[in-house]
Amino acid sequence: MDTGGETAQHDVVLSFVGTQAKVQKSGMVFPQNLPERSWEQIGANLRELVNSSAWWLADWLIFGEATYGWRRYKEAIERTGLDYQTLRNYAWVARRFEHDRRRDGLSFAHHAEVARLSPPEQDYWLRKAEQQKWSRNELRRALRASLAAQSSDAAALPVDGDGEERAASDPAQPAAAGRGRRKVTTLTIELSADQLEHYSKAAAAHGLPVGEWVTQVLATADRHTAGSGTD
């Protein structure tokens, strides 16, 4: 006999999958005469279930921390049997998007790609991804291309007599208004997709954009080198 929790889980899955497949805790059994169109729809619905579950877990974690305190929150994470860091990343992304700014037409992964940006920049890229029907990877490539273009533009900026860069405003790009002007040196590091994902998760664990996290890591390494007395 199913327990209450297992029955609730079964009902949630059925609401996405329907009754054409037999849903079990350890798998799914399909009838031999299942139409191809039905099989395709089940796959699309399961994708939505996976995407929704990331938001649900994130909001559940945030509620637990706010209502029961940090200790209860950690215990709740352990009870799920899921990876602690993954769930912490879920919660970090969810905190970056109020419910009315989350887009049902895009996946949780889409939102995670732009979570490190400011809210206006997040909205700009998510709106563009929805309009262009970009996959998560297409959104990532577009972001990388934009950042590379901005880095090239920054390197080519004319310099005033006092050594300050004169920034030109591009209305086509989501501007980061209000940032102080300062002379900077741009360092370009080539990473594989897996490396970028790994570093992004590490940065998210510290509540930082990946660029700021890398800067801190490099600064820490520099201090350690200086402290060692190595020439």
Side-chain angles (χ1 to χ4, degrees), residues 64 99 108 219-220:
H99 282 260
F108 183 88
T220 301

Side-chain angles (χ1 to χ4, degrees), residues 16-185:
F16 281 84
V17 175
T19 58
Q20 290 183 295
K22 183 179 179 182
V23 180
Q24 301 172 336
K25 189 172 183 179
S26 57
M28 190 177 295
V29 179
F30 300 92
Q32 292 297 319
N33 61 346
L34 180 71
E36 184 176 0
R37 182 61 61 86
S38 298
W39 173 81
E40 292 172 350
Q41 187 60 52
I42 289 174
N45 291 344
L46 287 173
R47 179 194 62 195
E48 293 302 317
L49 175 60
V50 171
N51 180 55
S52 296
S53 67
W55 288 118
W56 295 340
L57 279 169
D59 289 335
W60 173 74
L61 292 167
I62 294 170
F63 177 86
E65 180 180 9
T67 307
Y68 309 118
W70 176 249
R71 181 173 174 274
R72 289 292 300 164
Y73 174 56
K74 291 182 67 175
E75 288 177 357
I77 291 175
E78 292 170 0
R79 291 175 188 273
T80 67
L82 299 174
D83 178 74
Y84 173 87
Q85 191 57 60
T86 298
L87 294 177
R88 288 291 296 149
N89 290 343
Y90 283 175
W92 181 80
V93 171
R95 285 190 180 97
R96 301 282 292 164
F97 295 94
E98 300 84 359
H99 282 260
D100 60 358
R101 293 182 55 241
R102 300 175 185 177
R103 293 177 178 260
D104 290 343
L106 298 174
S107 70
F108 183 88
H110 282 89
H111 292 75
E113 285 295 325
V114 301
R116 66 187 183 278
L117 303 176
S118 67
E121 291 172 315
Q122 292 170 352
D123 293 338
Y124 171 87
W125 285 107
L126 290 178
R127 182 172 62 252
K128 194 164 186 178
E130 197 166 43
Q131 291 172 346
Q132 300 294 328
K133 301 187 183 303
W134 283 342
S135 68
R136 188 277 304 270
N137 287 341
E138 288 172 328
L139 172 58
R140 177 181 291 179
R141 285 194 291 269
L143 273 171
R144 288 179 179 176
S146 176
L147 291 172
Q150 290 175 27
S151 297
S152 298
D153 290 344
L157 283 176
V159 179
D160 289 332
D162 59 1
E164 283 195 345
E165 294 174 344
R166 296 197 303 272
S169 175
D170 181 359
Q173 294 296 331
R179 294 179 183 171
R181 291 181 178 179
R182 59 180 178 178
K183 190 174 182 179
V184 298
T185 299

